[in-house]
Amino acid sequence: MKTVFEGEIINVVSANNGIVIAYVLEKLDDKIRVAYKLVSFDNGEIANVRSDLYDLSKFGTNYKIIASSIKNHIYCHSVVLPNEKTFVIDTDGSAYLFDANASLIWRSVIKYKGTVPSGLAINNRHIWVGFSEYDVLMRLNLATMSEELRLGGGKNSPFKKPNNLFINNNDIYLTSLNSTEIIKIDTSSYTTQVYKNFNTPIKQYLSSGGYEFAVLESGVYLLD
């Protein structure tokens, strides 16, 4: 495991031939200043960038319109669909679907027992959302936004407090609050296994450009 960037990380998103890291630059009383770094896959260099690149990577081409339409562009969950539509779940559970021109075509609220999603990912025609408080993953139909399937919940849930989801092919890679493990879930059989384990809690996992990254409490790391 190789250190990419040390600091208090808010989120990491895939960019064009790189990743963009949103991190805490400074804490001022009850507020924080957020800054952004671009890690290039071309030369491995790390450069300061504006929030525009983070929003572009997170929301797509019309990021300015989308970012201005929601409450929290930094902490919200978002996926850009293959047809260039963008699906967003804001920090209060408000859900939005924007078309390729960033026109709002659907809006609702996604909650489970009064709690808002803690993670979001897309697989084919399905949206997956996690609910940390109830140890639940829920699959939604992208066309109808209706619940199709629910995993976990209860005392025997195979995962606890899911807080971040990443999907590659048919597998969900799940990280959980205060857990040192990445749990891998096969969406064909719904079997689970420990994909990787760390010495400290992992906050986020993603792969981009053929590289795998883990966000730990101390920073961003490139996995072997």
Side-chain angles (χ1 to χ4, degrees), residues 3-66:
T3 302
V4 175
F5 179 76
E6 293 184 326
E8 184 177 345
I9 310 303
I10 296 173
N11 190 30
V12 180
V13 295
S14 295
N16 184 21
N17 206 28
I19 57 172
V20 179
I21 301 169
Y23 68 100
V24 177
L25 178 64
E26 185 179 17
K27 291 185 177 181
L28 301 169
D29 297 326
D30 59 343
K31 297 181 180 180
I32 62 172
R33 288 180 59 198
V34 180
Y36 305 87
K37 296 281 189 181
L38 170 66
V39 181
S40 171
F41 294 160
D42 289 329
N43 51 28
E45 292 185 354
I46 301 177
N48 294 321
V49 292
R50 294 165 56 89
S51 63
D52 284 13
L53 184 57
Y54 176 80
D55 287 342
L56 171 64
S57 304
K58 191 170 182 176
F59 302 119
T61 305
N62 295 295
Y63 64 93
K64 289 185 178 180
I65 299 173
I66 296 175

Side-chain angles (χ1 to χ4, degrees), residues 145-205:
M145 293 301 172
S146 58
E147 179 184 343
E148 293 185 327
L149 180 70
R150 192 183 306 165
L151 302 178
K155 295 181 180 179
N156 298 319
S157 176
F159 41 81
K160 301 294 182 182
K161 299 186 180 303
N163 68 346
N164 198 280
L165 310 177
F166 182 84
I167 291 181
N168 188 17
N169 297 321
N170 290 320
D171 297 320
I172 299 173
Y173 295 85
L174 172 72
T175 63
S176 297
L177 188 65
N178 298 323
S179 173
T180 61
E181 298 177 340
I182 301 173
I183 301 296
K184 180 179 177 181
I185 304 172
D186 186 327
T187 59
S188 299
S189 62
Y190 301 109
T191 55
T192 64
Q193 67 180 82
V194 176
Y195 179 63
K196 289 185 182 295
N197 202 345
F198 301 86
N199 294 324
T200 59
I202 176 169
K203 299 170 61 177
Q204 181 185 358
Y205 164 86

